[in-house]
Amino acid sequence: MVVETGLEEFAFDWTLVQQRVEKFTRICTYDRGGYGGSELDAAPRTFAQINLELHELLRAAGEKPPYVLVGHSFGGPVIRNYAVRYPEEVAGMVLAESVAEHQPMILGGKPTLLKDFASGKAIPEPTLQTSKLHPEGARPGGPLARDYAVLPSPLQQLHQRFAGAAALEAAENSQREWSSEYLAQWDRQPQRGLLGTKPLLVITRAESGYDASPNYSLQQVDGQRLRAQTEQLQLSSNSAQWVVPFGHDLHLEAPGIVAAAIHVVVESARRHLPLANLN
C-alpha cells in the first residue's frame, strides 16, 4: 500500500501509522517533489504530474501493483486522480480527512470552496523532463503544532527544519493553484463510480475544526463539511465511512484508527469481500 500525504507533511510524519501497518502488509511512504529530501523537478505541480512521478518511483523501486492507496487531506484528491490515470494499479482506497469538491475552508474569515478559485485553464499533461520551479528563499518554520508532540523528538526537529524549506513553499503554491482546477472539473463532471466495486473507506473527523464567527453559521458550515465528506462514498459501490472523535491530523491523533481502516480495505481487496462483511 502507498501513502500520499497532505500539505506540509512528510513521509516520516506517518511513522506511527507505518509501525502498525507493517505488521500486516507492506507500506510505502514518500516525499513529493519539494518535500523533505526530494528535489523539486518538474513543474507545474498538477495532480497528474504528481501521479506520474509516483508511478515512476514505484516502478523504479520494484513495487508491484495493484496498490491500496491512502490519501490524507490534500493527498486525497491526488490519489483519486491516480485512479483516473492508472485504474489498473489501484486495488482500493482510504480517504483520511480528504479534501473534497464541496467541502468549505475558512479563508479570509468566511467559508470558501477551493474549486471557486479555478480559472478554467487547461491542465497540462505531465512530463518527466525537468522544468524547475524557482524557490525564493527559506521561510520561517514557525512553532511546531501540538499534534506533533507524539512523534520522537528527532522527527519533530526534522519536520520543523523541512517545513521552512523554500522548495516546499514553491511546490505547495503550485499544488494549490492546480488543485482548484481539478476540483472544479469534478464538480462539473462528478467522479461517481470511479472505483467500481473496489473498496473505499472514508475517515472523517467528528470535531468541527472551525472557529465560531459572526460571519457564518458554524452549524451550517460544519454540516456542509460532513455532507461533502459523505459524497465521496459515491466513488465506489463498495464503500463505507467512519466518523471518528478526532481532528484533522488523524495520522498523529489516531494512528490506530488509520491503520485499522487500511487493514479493512487491504482485507477486502485481498479476499474480494464487501466492506460490509469486514467493517
Side-chain angles (χ1 to χ4, degrees), residues 1-2 26-30 52-65 67:
M1 58 138 303
V2 182
R26 181 170 176 79
I27 176 171
C28 301
T29 59
Y30 83 111
L52 176 62
E53 292 171 8
L54 175 58
H55 172 79
E56 291 301 309
L57 177 63
L58 291 168
R59 183 186 62 80
E63 299 297 333
K64 304 297 183 184
Y67 315 109

Side-chain angles (χ1 to χ4, degrees), residues 110-248:
K110 62 179 182 180
T112 305
L113 299 180
L114 295 181
K115 70 179 184 65
D116 292 341
F117 289 103
S119 65
K121 59 189 174 184
I123 299 173
E125 280 299 304
T127 177
L128 292 177
Q129 296 179 352
T130 299
S131 175
K132 289 186 178 294
L133 293 169
H134 299 287
E136 297 181 356
R139 60 179 177 177
L144 196 63
R146 183 176 57 187
D147 292 346
Y148 287 90
V150 298
L151 293 177
S153 180
L155 295 185
Q156 294 182 44
Q157 296 171 15
L158 197 59
H159 179 101
Q160 196 159 20
R161 177 164 68 87
F162 283 139
L168 176 65
E169 184 168 21
E172 295 198 331
N173 286 340
S174 183
Q175 288 172 175
R176 289 187 181 99
E177 174 187 356
W178 289 98
S179 64
S180 297
E181 303 297 335
Y182 283 95
L183 294 174
Q185 280 191 8
W186 297 346
D187 176 55
R188 295 190 301 269
Q189 299 176 323
Q191 289 189 306
R192 296 186 188 95
L194 170 66
L195 298 175
T197 61
K198 295 173 183 177
L200 165 67
L201 208 159
V202 176
I203 316 176
T204 301
R205 73 179 190 268
E207 297 178 5
S208 169
Y210 300 129
D211 294 327
S213 169
N215 297 329
Y216 54 83
S217 164
L218 188 59
Q219 184 177 10
Q220 288 181 357
V221 173
D222 208 40
Q224 186 178 357
R225 172 185 70 85
L226 291 170
R227 287 192 297 274
Q229 285 286 300
T230 302
E231 282 179 0
Q232 296 175 111
L233 296 175
Q234 298 174 13
L235 296 171
S236 173
S237 61
N238 180 19
S239 59
Q241 183 179 28
W242 294 357
V243 179
V244 298
F246 296 96
H248 181 66

Side-chain angles (χ1 to χ4, degrees), residues 28-48:
C28 301
T29 59
Y30 83 111
D31 286 325
R32 290 189 292 272
Y35 285 65
S38 296
E39 293 184 0
L40 181 57
D41 288 328
R45 307 304 296 164
T46 64
F47 291 169

Side-chain angles (χ1 to χ4, degrees), residues 4 38 44 65 67-68 70 83 88 96 106-107 122 136 161 175 190 254:
E4 190 71 64
S38 296
Y67 315 109
V68 167
V70 179
E88 72 285 352
I106 304 301
L107 300 173
E136 297 181 356
R161 177 164 68 87
Q175 288 172 175

